[in-house]
Amino acid sequence: MVREIRDLIEFFRPHVREAETLDRLRKMVDNRGSWSKAYHLFGHIRHKTLRAERAKDNQAIAQYMFEEACAKALFNLTRGAAPFDADSPYWVVPNALVCARSLGLDQMEVVNIVTAGD
């Protein structure tokens, strides 16, 4: 799951308008010791999602929903107190597909990323 999140972030990064939290997730993904901070990063991303929803910015909404799922998945991997819902990691791929579509990218690239073997 971690490799897939990293590769999806790298796939989306050149195509987004705003990458502050995407970049923070990218730095976090390879540093297992930082995953507990994903809980707070989720909160920051959630505020951005709500602003994008108010602005009806569907591209930003799709990006931030993907980011939210990634942050939740990373935090839950810590097995810390007060985890997000157990199904949180299962939302990474569907949200990545929506993000790809909203950015005008080939959704099969997402499928290839998540089905590639290590």
Side-chain angles (χ1 to χ4, degrees), residues 78-98:
T78 68
R79 301 187 188 273
F84 291 102
D85 291 338
D87 70 342
S88 294
Y90 293 100
W91 287 100
V92 171
V93 174
N95 284 325
L97 291 166
V98 171

Side-chain angles (χ1 to χ4, degrees), residues 40-81:
H40 295 290
L41 181 56
F42 165 79
H44 180 62
I45 297 165
R46 186 70 188 140
H47 287 293
K48 291 169 67 170
T49 304
L50 295 172
R51 282 195 307 267
E53 288 174 345
R54 283 192 297 274
K56 297 182 181 3
D57 183 346
N58 291 328
Q59 192 176 66
I61 294 166
Q63 174 188 339
Y64 300 145
M65 293 297 290
F66 165 71
E67 292 179 11
E68 284 184 18
C70 292
K72 288 178 176 183
L74 289 176
F75 181 77
N76 279 7
L77 287 171
T78 68
R79 301 187 188 273

Side-chain angles (χ1 to χ4, degrees), residues 12-27:
F12 292 132
R13 176 58 176 92
H15 306 284
V16 298
R17 292 183 305 236
E18 188 279 316
E20 179 253 340
T21 45
L22 197 64
D23 289 343
R24 288 175 63 185
L25 277 168
R26 176 59 187 95
K27 288 178 186 171

